[in-house]
Amino acid sequence: MYFINIKKLKQEIKEDRFTEKHAYGYFFWTFLLFMVMITPTLSGGYPELNVYDHLSSLVIVIATIIGLKYSYHTNGGDNGVDFIKKFFAVSWVRGWRVVIPTAIIFILVLLVTGVYENELMVSALTIVYDVISYGLIYYLVGKDLKELNKKHH
């Protein structure tokens, strides 16, 4: 399972060495990570959510809908091959490659500007972070799926 190396992952897919077992691993860990992230919210672990927190959730839902449609389209749409299998693997690697550096930059911005002391400002900036990171992840996933789709046509 790859976390950062998109080239090796794409090579495995292109060479048909990417099995259902591999795909399941990416699906499983993506789903598990999602559940770890969402469970505190569902169980009331964040009792003091503000309007920006709710807006951030809405942005993530909208970005996910648009990103999934875009990814499906770049994989060939109804004529695409192995969308789910490729999507989970590629998005897992692209997610780590985007989240790690953007999260570090985001935290540094909060610390350097002193904004981290203002909860509403942090929540508002989180919306900007969400738009940038989700947009970048889905753009790169779509680009990769389009490249991988060329193999099948």
Side-chain angles (χ1 to χ4, degrees), residues 48-123:
E48 297 178 18
L49 296 176
N50 60 50
V51 68
Y52 294 112
D53 295 326
H54 293 291
L55 188 55
S56 180
S57 296
L58 180 62
V59 164
I60 291 170
V61 168
I62 292 169
T64 300
I65 291 168
I66 293 169
L68 286 172
K69 286 182 175 278
Y70 170 72
S71 298
Y72 182 74
H73 173 73
T74 59
N75 187 61
D78 293 344
N79 297 319
V81 177
D82 292 330
F83 171 72
I84 301 294
K85 188 176 183 179
K86 291 185 286 188
F87 175 80
F88 275 106
V90 170
S91 63
W92 175 266
V93 175
R94 283 300 186 185
W96 286 108
R97 288 180 64 129
V98 169
V99 168
I100 292 169
T102 57
I104 290 169
I105 292 168
F106 180 70
I107 291 167
L108 288 174
V109 166
L110 294 179
L111 293 174
V112 169
T113 62
V115 172
Y116 67 91
E117 295 175 0
N118 182 330
E119 186 179 332
L120 283 177
M121 192 63 170
V122 170
S123 295

Side-chain angles (χ1 to χ4, degrees), residues 2 4-19 22 26 85-86 89-90 93-94 97 143-145 147-149 151-152:
Y2 299 104
I4 304 292
N5 196 336
I6 193 72
K7 288 181 183 181
K8 283 189 177 182
L9 173 63
K10 290 194 305 189
Q11 193 62 38
E12 277 189 19
I13 293 170
K14 286 178 183 178
E15 294 173 358
D16 288 328
R17 293 184 293 122
F18 189 76
T19 66
H22 292 117
Y26 286 100
K85 188 176 183 179
K86 291 185 286 188
V90 170
V93 175
R94 283 300 186 185
R97 288 180 64 129
K143 183 178 165 221
D144 292 332
L145 292 176
E147 177 188 328
L148 291 168
N149 192 39
K151 173 192 174 259
H152 296 284

